[in-house]
Amino acid sequence: MSEKIGILALGHGSKHPHNKDVVTGVADLIAKKYKNMVVRTGFMNMNTPTMKEGLDAFKGTGVSTIVAVPIFLAHGVHTMEDIPQILGISRNSRKTTIKLDGKDVTLLYSEPLGADELVAELAFKRAKEALSSN
Amino acid sequence: MSEKIGILALGHGSKHPHNKDVVTGVADLIAKKYKNMVVRTGFMNMNTPTMKEGLDAFKGTGVSTIVAVPIFLAHGVHTMEDIPQILGISRNSRKTTIKLDGKDVTLLYSEPLGADELVAELAFKRAKEALSSN
């Protein structure tokens, strides 16, 4: 792709540091592995940057499309109602246009992580770690 | 390992079906890939089986150790306080002994998923899917 793509990793937020640490850590890993992507974070509650601040953080990067990826395991009220409302995206179209630096930028909204082999693999790895430290 | 190991996939639970679907789907994927494991599920809130019912579901399976794996992205109040209390596990030892079929069974408590390459890979996959369906 010749156009520049942004990824906005969306977190739930928490009064504890762990949720932000995980979402930020995941965003850093994506940015490290996919160096042509511009990666930012945004949180729904209790942490900053907020989701709107996260979108603003793409200013000056030249992205023409941003994909907002909920770093949530499953759909629920947050992914189906709260986040689309914050981002101004209808759940059906999963897409809108925002203005950044005076230009139109396409904003897409992806599915959450879901029941994927990669989650199963990671859960099994955590089980093995607990067994081996026993 | 000659001893029989159980994995209890722990879910948050939700009034929507998605959380249970994801946790159950992940448990099924683990069971399918690692056929020597006995895999069960347990939910904290709003869904069944409860976590205690999940432990009881290992009766008759002959497991000598069960690893409870929180299918949660990050630590928080649930993984640090609520679930250890339900399982009767101290956060420091991350281990206890329960009785099943009149025998002692070791119950271990693993870390949640965390900021792992596998989550980053999956989040990137969801972003790519959104881009390609645009």
Side-chain angles (χ1 to χ4, degrees), chain B residues 5 11 27 36 40 47-48 54 56-57 62-63 67 70 75 83 88 95 97 99 112 122 124 128:
Chain B
I5 307 286
N36 57 335
R40 300 290 185 264
N47 293 124
T48 55
D56 280 343
V63 295
V67 192
H75 270 305
I83 297 173
K95 180 179 174 176
T97 303
K99 285 275 181 196
L122 182 51
F124 187 71
K128 276 192 301 182

Side-chain angles (χ1 to χ4, degrees), chain A residues 1 3-7 36-39 58 62-67, chain B residues 131:
Chain A
M1 290 172 290
E3 60 163 347
K4 209 162 174 184
I5 307 287
I7 291 181
N36 56 336
M37 297 279 152
V38 181
V39 185
F58 287 100
V63 295
S64 55
T65 300
I66 296 168
V67 191
Chain B
L131 283 164

Side-chain angles (χ1 to χ4, degrees), chain A residues 35-91:
Chain A
K35 293 189 194 300
N36 56 336
M37 297 279 152
V38 181
V39 185
R40 298 290 184 265
T41 58
F43 295 88
M44 190 180 66
N45 281 320
M46 288 176 280
N47 293 125
T48 55
T50 64
M51 293 182 176
K52 290 201 169 178
E53 289 166 351
L55 286 176
D56 280 343
F58 287 100
K59 282 181 183 166
T61 63
V63 295
S64 55
T65 300
I66 296 168
V67 191
V69 181
I71 310 297
F72 285 65
L73 276 169
H75 269 305
V77 174
H78 300 318
T79 59
M80 295 193 297
E81 296 173 24
D82 302 337
I83 297 173
Q85 192 174 4
I86 292 167
L87 298 179
I89 287 184
S90 104
R91 262 209 82 208

Side-chain angles (χ1 to χ4, degrees), chain A residues 10-125:
Chain A
L10 304 173
H12 184 287
S14 167
K15 64 178 180 177
H16 292 284
H18 312 89
N19 179 268
K20 182 170 179 177
D21 288 350
V22 167
V23 174
T24 306
V26 165
D28 289 347
L29 287 168
I30 295 172
K32 199 174 156 191
K33 186 160 181 186
Y34 302 98
K35 293 189 194 300
N36 56 336
M37 297 279 152
V38 181
V39 185
R40 298 290 184 265
T41 58
F43 295 88
M44 190 180 66
N45 281 320
M46 288 176 280
N47 293 125
T48 55
T50 64
M51 293 182 176
K52 290 201 169 178
E53 289 166 351
L55 286 176
D56 280 343
F58 287 100
K59 282 181 183 166
T61 63
V63 295
S64 55
T65 300
I66 296 168
V67 191
V69 181
I71 310 297
F72 285 65
L73 276 169
H75 269 305
V77 174
H78 300 318
T79 59
M80 295 193 297
E81 296 173 24
D82 302 337
I83 297 173
Q85 192 174 4
I86 292 167
L87 298 179
I89 287 184
S90 104
R91 262 209 82 208
N92 295 328
S93 71
R94 306 184 74 80
K95 179 178 176 177
T96 191
T97 302
I98 62 170
K99 284 273 181 197
L100 278 183
D101 300 318
K103 287 185 193 160
D104 281 350
V105 171
T106 302
L107 175 60
L108 305 174
Y109 182 48
S110 88
E111 290 292 306
L113 302 174
D116 193 278
E117 294 272 1
L118 293 167
V119 176
E121 203 50 47
L122 182 50
F124 187 71
K125 180 166 126 180

